[in-house]
Amino acid sequence: DTEVTQTPKHLVMGMTNKKSLKCEQHMGHRAMYWYKQKAKKPPELMFVYSYEKLSINESVPSRFSPECPNSSLLNLHLHALQPEDSALYLCASSQLDRGLWNTGELFFGEGSRLTVL
Amino acid sequence: SQQGEEDPQALSIQEGENATMNCSYKTSINNLQWYRQNSGRGLVHLILIRSNEREKHSGRLRVTLDTSKKSSSLLITASRAADTASYFCATDADSWGKLQFGAGTQVVVTP
């Protein structure tokens, strides 16, 4: 199984709503990532988890709250978002080999397209 | 900030032609990767080239890396309509896990 599954595929929410994006992989990868991508732009790194611990937070506003309940799951909790947060949110995973200290191939999900009204 | 800059921004070719796109980066790297993204979909890994490698092939793809010029190129030979996509280079120069993507090249292959 070489898939990263993201749900929901589409989400529309108001600025006062609380919602969550979910990501699951069963490849045994111990690194998981959230990226945000606006139209016609490259993906921007938001968070990285390694061994279920948050290792990188790219100064993301607190209205985005990541969670890694176990090695297969990654959530992104959303609260009080702004219309400018509308984007494609991509989850990815990779093998973890800290000994090499470089980032290998990332496996991406199809993304959750978020619209904030 | 973006580590990789790509050119051209857009490329339109006919089936059977070759497509070449370039990526430049600013600081030293461990490796450089290329990804493809079909419209509205997730990214798919194409190829990874390590800093001590100069050229790598995978099927119709050829990647070169020139660390002295801090640049890489991706060549797609004998292009097909299915190659229509955006192509991104990515580097992890800063530290582990911080894979950062270039601006991307949008390739359109017409039958």
Side-chain angles (χ1 to χ4, degrees):
Chain A
D1 184 358
T2 57
E3 278 193 350
V4 175
T5 304
Q6 288 189 244
T7 55
K9 290 192 184 337
H10 299 275
L11 178 63
V12 179
M13 60 187 291
M15 289 190 284
T16 58
N17 292 157
K18 281 186 184 181
K19 297 285 185 184
S20 296
L21 306 180
K22 297 184 184 302
C23 175
E24 189 169 6
Q25 57 88 14
H26 295 288
M27 293 177 278
H29 292 168
R30 302 304 295 275
M32 296 188 77
Y33 310 75
W34 280 114
Y35 280 84
K36 172 183 176 180
Q37 186 178 28
K38 302 282 266 184
K40 298 192 184 302
K41 295 291 187 184
E44 296 177 3
L45 183 65
M46 299 175 73
F47 303 104
V48 181
Y49 274 81
S50 57
Y51 298 109
E52 296 85 68
K53 290 189 176 3
L54 183 65
S55 57
I56 296 175
N57 176 343
E58 288 287 89
S59 302
V60 178
S62 60
R63 58 186 185 268
F64 295 92
S65 175
E67 178 196 19
C68 190
N70 60 55
S71 60
S72 300
L73 293 174
L74 185 66
N75 298 322
L76 186 63
H77 302 299
L78 315 170
H79 175 53
L81 294 193
Q82 305 296 311
E84 59 265 27
D85 297 321
S86 298
L88 181 68
Y89 288 83
L90 293 161
C91 173
S93 68
S94 72
Q95 290 182 338
L96 194 59
D97 189 342
R98 300 300 285 268
L100 290 180
W101 206 250
N102 57 56
T103 310
E105 173 186 355
L106 264 60
F107 292 77
F108 281 86
E110 293 288 1
S112 293
R113 184 161 299 282
L114 173 67
T115 303
V116 182
L117 301 176
Chain B
S1 62
Q2 284 173 205
Q3 164 73 333
E5 299 294 332
E6 294 177 62
D7 82 275
Q9 287 187 329
L11 185 58
S12 186
I13 56 174
Q14 292 196 312
E15 266 191 331
E17 294 181 337
N18 295 342
T20 300
M21 59 211 86
N22 302 297
C23 169
S24 60
Y25 55 91
K26 298 189 177 90
T27 60
S28 60
I29 60 172
N30 297 307
N31 64 54
L32 185 144
Q33 303 181 41
W34 286 91
Y35 288 80
R36 184 188 76 227
Q37 184 179 32
N38 291 80
S39 180
R41 307 290 296 274
L43 282 79
V44 175
H45 182 265
L46 295 176
I47 201 162
L48 181 153
I49 187 165
R50 301 197 184 282
S51 59
N52 61 354
E53 296 175 312
R54 290 297 165 258
E55 187 171 313
K56 207 162 181 180
H57 296 253
S58 177
R60 293 183 295 112
L61 306 179
R62 174 177 166 251
V63 168
T64 63
L65 179 64
D66 187 334
T67 53
S68 67
K69 295 181 179 176
K70 293 187 170 57
S71 68
S72 174
S73 68
L74 171 66
L75 167 67
I76 305 173
T77 60
S79 62
R80 305 166 181 167
D83 295 327
T84 294
S86 292
Y87 292 82
F88 295 95
C89 66
T91 59
D92 68 341
D94 289 343
S95 64
W96 177 85
K98 280 191 159 187
L99 196 66
Q100 305 227 346
F101 289 82
T105 295
Q106 191 169 359
V107 175
V108 175
V109 183
T110 51

